[in-house]
Amino acid sequence: MSPHTGPRARTRVRATTRDADAMAVIAFVLGLVGLLVMNLLLGPVAVVLGALALRRRTTRPARAQLAIALGLTDVLVLACLVAADGTWSWSLT
């Protein structure tokens, strides 16, 4: 029996898949929250986690891709806010 096909290898693959799935979900949530607060921080984190989840072969690739899109949108929203009023924060007045 090859050392790469034993129970430890299967457990390692399942753990990696679970980690990638968790990254995809966390990236998605951070991308959503980033639309409202802390765009500068949460947007890039969502992009990086979404890309890592895709690279680690998540079983939720659509969620990871959406997280990347939301992260990029976070940065775009921040750029629009900065261009509109010249500040790095939300302003209601």
Side-chain angles (χ1 to χ4, degrees), residues 33-75:
V33 173
L35 288 173
L36 301 174
V37 294
M38 298 178 23
N39 315 59
L40 184 61
L41 176 68
L42 296 181
V45 171
V47 170
V48 169
L49 282 177
L52 281 173
L54 286 174
R55 185 176 178 118
R56 293 184 181 183
R57 307 229 188 275
T58 181
T59 59
R60 302 169 188 226
R63 187 161 298 163
Q65 292 167 349
L66 187 57
I68 292 170
L70 284 170
L72 294 173
T73 304
D74 292 349
V75 175

Side-chain angles (χ1 to χ4, degrees), residues 1-92:
M1 181 188 301
S2 171
H4 299 291
T5 59
R8 285 186 182 158
R10 284 191 297 267
T11 302
R12 193 172 22 245
V13 168
R14 276 185 283 195
T16 302
T17 302
R18 266 195 318 247
D19 291 346
D21 291 346
M23 273 193 256
V25 172
I26 291 169
F28 176 74
V29 171
L30 290 177
L32 279 177
V33 173
L35 288 173
L36 301 174
V37 294
M38 298 178 23
N39 315 59
L40 184 61
L41 176 68
L42 296 181
V45 171
V47 170
V48 169
L49 282 177
L52 281 173
L54 286 174
R55 185 176 178 118
R56 293 184 181 183
R57 307 229 188 275
T58 181
T59 59
R60 302 169 188 226
R63 187 161 298 163
Q65 292 167 349
L66 187 57
I68 292 170
L70 284 170
L72 294 173
T73 304
D74 292 349
V75 175
L76 181 65
V77 165
L78 178 65
C80 290
L81 289 172
V82 169
D85 64 3
T87 68
W88 288 88
S89 63
W90 289 92
S91 176
L92 298 176

